[in-house]
């Protein structure tokens, strides 16, 4: 998917200027684009009653990005202690934060309860007994099993490690109630990068039915349903974008009908990551080598430490080379890692690239930098933000060799062999 025209119109003409100033490689994010998507989300779900997006921190865990989310009134979905700390560093507290952990530890529970707590979203019935202090408001992640189909990234619900099963869900709320909870929410997250909006509508419908069942069996009313993240973005030029307006309209109708039938309606929450920021980021990297063996390889100065998705999921990321003229050729675009899956593109038709050319790897605004790793001693690049006023700000420096060696500085600690 070509990035938005406004991002492109601002970025491409000053690419040389930006790279001269900051060097390469870097991810750069478009603040205006993120805000436009945030507004579109709020407008699309206005008819659903109370709506709130909890931005999935893992998609783009940068404080400057989180500040933009918070300024739009969004909360945060976290699933680790560092993510909780990041969310709280923006000033978010209490019910502005949802903690959706999996295989949760006691340390996780304690951190979640700190600083006035947050909405605790439990991933299993066995955790009810393990929560050190049961909060007044509790949520469960529901896994419908074979009642729903899954998708390529998360897999089938019945094979996914997440959530409380259909058979356990009523009992889970009953046990939470017995431990003192008296406010409730219901969550699920079934899809990832789903482009068919009706799948998300079915998810809302499924949760509303379950709300009704829980009310009948336990006499409790859900304060909210959270349909999770997973709204897709078109990575390839051929893919059609998710129909946000239709999704908003149909979920709005479901919520209004529920309100009419039962004289109350839970709030609608979601926790989109990719949809919010994915299309509003790109990875800019410079060609440093060309290699012609059985195939032609274009070597760039970024590697999969900056973007794992192609290597990990075989994901497609569209690549453009602004200003590079034809003719076209078929190449693999590669990083420097000693792993043959360190390729940003495989057998891709691109204009003939030479050393020194810049390429723009698109849709890296979610699960890009965040998923990076240090395998093979590779360091992660800097992150920049294109502000609404046209200025460009560094929002994370590149990792350094000192960062890499930081965990090798520690006090000597030896357990002597048993005598
Ligand atoms: C990863 C994740 C999200 C965000 O998913 P996207 O596909 O980026 O929208 C939301 N909620 C939970 C619980 C997640 O694990």
């Amino acid at each position: 998917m070509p990035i938005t025209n406004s991002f492109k119109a601002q970025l491409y003409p000053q690419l040389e200027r930006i790279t001269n100033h900051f060097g390469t490689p870097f991810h750069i994010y478009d603040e205006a684009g993120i805000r436009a998507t945030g507004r579109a989300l709020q407008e699309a779900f206005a008819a659903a009653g109370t709506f709130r997006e909890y931005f999935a921190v893992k998609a783009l865990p940068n404080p400057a990005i989180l500040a933009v989310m918070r300024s739009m009134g969004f909360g945060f979905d976290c699933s680790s202690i560092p993510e909780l700390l990041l969310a709280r560093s923006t000033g978010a507290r209490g019910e502005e934060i949802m903690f959706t952990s999996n295989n949760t530890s006691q340390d996780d529970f304690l951190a979640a309860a700190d600083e006035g707590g947050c909405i605790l979203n439990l991933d299993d019935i066995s955790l009810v007994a393990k929560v050190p202090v049961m909060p007044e408001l509790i949520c469960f992640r529901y896994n419908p099993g074979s009642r729903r189909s899954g998708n390529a990234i998360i897999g089938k619900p019945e094979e996914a490690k997440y959530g409380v099963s259909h058979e356990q869900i009523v009992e889970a709320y009953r046990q939470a109630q017995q431990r003192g909870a008296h406010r409730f929410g219901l969550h699920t997250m079934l899809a990832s990068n789903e482009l068919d909006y009706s799948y998300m509508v079915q998810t809302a419908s499924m949760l509303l039915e379950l709300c009704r069942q829980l009310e009948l069996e336990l006499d409790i009313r859900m304060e909210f349903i959270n349909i999770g993240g997973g709204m897709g973005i078109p990575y390839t030029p051929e893919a059609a974008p998710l129909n946000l307006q239709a999704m908003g309209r149909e979920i709005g109708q479901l919520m209004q009908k529920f309100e009419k039938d039962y004289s109350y309606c839970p709030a609608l929450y979601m926790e989109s990551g990719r949809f919010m920021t994915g299309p509003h980021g790109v990875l800019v990297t410079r060609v440093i080598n060309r290699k012609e063996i059985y195939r032609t390889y274009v070597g760039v100065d970024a590697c999969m430490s900056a973007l794992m998705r192609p290597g990990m999921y075989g994901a497609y990321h569209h690549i453009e080379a602004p200003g590079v003229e034809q003719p076209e050729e078929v190449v693999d675009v590669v990083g420097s890692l000693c792993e043959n899956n360190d390729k940003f593109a495989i057998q891709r038709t691109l204009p003939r690239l030479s050393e020194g050319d810049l390429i723009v790897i698109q849709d890296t605004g979610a699960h890009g930098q965040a998923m990076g790793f240090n395998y093979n001693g590779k360091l992660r690049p800097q992150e920049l933000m294109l502000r609404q006023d046209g200025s460009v700000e560094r929002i994370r420096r590149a990792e350094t060799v000192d960062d890499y060696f930081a965990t090798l500085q520690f006090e000597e600690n030896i357990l002597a062999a048993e005598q």
Side-chain angles (χ1 to χ4, degrees), residues 56 58-59 77 100 141 187 189 192-193 229-231 271-274 367:
K58 80 167 188 277
D77 182 65
T100 300
R141 179 174 183 158
H187 170 274
M189 160 97 193
S192 183
N193 198 31
M231 287 161 66
E271 46 194 33
S272 283
R274 187 188 320 272
H367 313 296

Side-chain angles (χ1 to χ4, degrees), residues 60-251:
L60 187 44
N62 187 299
I65 297 289
L66 302 190
V68 171
M69 299 301 169
R70 187 157 158 75
S71 77
M72 292 189 287
F74 294 167
F76 299 108
D77 182 65
C78 305
S79 56
S80 67
I81 294 173
E83 287 183 359
L84 271 173
L85 296 176
L86 268 174
R88 286 179 181 145
S89 76
T90 69
R93 290 290 180 279
E95 291 173 27
E96 294 166 337
I97 300 175
M98 182 113 184
F99 188 63
T100 300
S101 57
N102 165 256
N103 188 19
T104 312
S105 69
Q106 285 297 308
D107 285 347
D108 288 336
F109 282 131
L110 293 174
D114 270 356
E115 305 259 9
C118 58
I119 303 178
L120 193 57
N121 187 18
L122 295 182
D123 189 64
D124 188 42
I125 191 170
S126 69
L127 297 176
V128 175
K130 293 184 177 174
V131 181
V133 180
M134 178 61 68
E136 62 175 272
L137 170 60
I138 197 78
C139 181
F140 286 96
R141 179 174 183 158
Y142 171 60
N143 180 335
S146 57
R147 287 161 191 81
R148 295 292 300 281
S149 59
N151 82 345
I153 296 182
I154 296 200
K156 295 181 188 166
E158 73 264 36
E159 292 171 6
K161 67 173 180 164
Y162 308 109
V164 180
S165 75
H166 187 76
E167 290 67 30
Q168 296 166 327
I169 192 77
V170 171
E171 182 57 23
Y173 282 93
R174 193 194 317 275
Q175 289 181 13
Q177 214 176 4
Q178 282 161 1
R179 278 209 63 193
H182 57 92
R183 297 173 55 205
F184 304 95
L186 173 60
H187 170 274
T188 198
M189 160 97 193
L190 300 177
S192 183
N193 198 31
E194 180 61 61
L195 285 167
D196 176 9
Y197 81 91
S198 26
Y199 188 89
M200 309 307 289
V201 177
Q202 285 160 28
T203 295
S205 169
M206 171 191 83
L207 290 182
L208 287 173
E209 273 175 37
L210 193 52
C211 284
R212 182 63 188 151
Q213 189 190 341
L214 288 164
E215 184 177 13
L216 291 176
E217 298 209 24
L218 299 174
D219 197 24
I220 58 177
R221 287 182 169 186
M222 293 299 128
E223 290 189 16
F224 65 84
I225 57 168
N226 184 331
I227 59 174
M231 287 161 66
I233 59 167
Y235 284 96
T236 63
E238 306 80 47
L242 178 138
N243 189 338
L244 184 65
Q245 283 67 36
M247 177 177 160
R249 191 173 55 242
E250 292 183 25
I251 291 182

Side-chain angles (χ1 to χ4, degrees), residues 401-413:
V401 171
D402 284 347
D403 294 331
Y404 186 83
F405 282 99
T407 49
L408 295 175
Q409 286 157 13
F410 53 85
E411 276 172 40
E412 188 177 83
N413 185 346

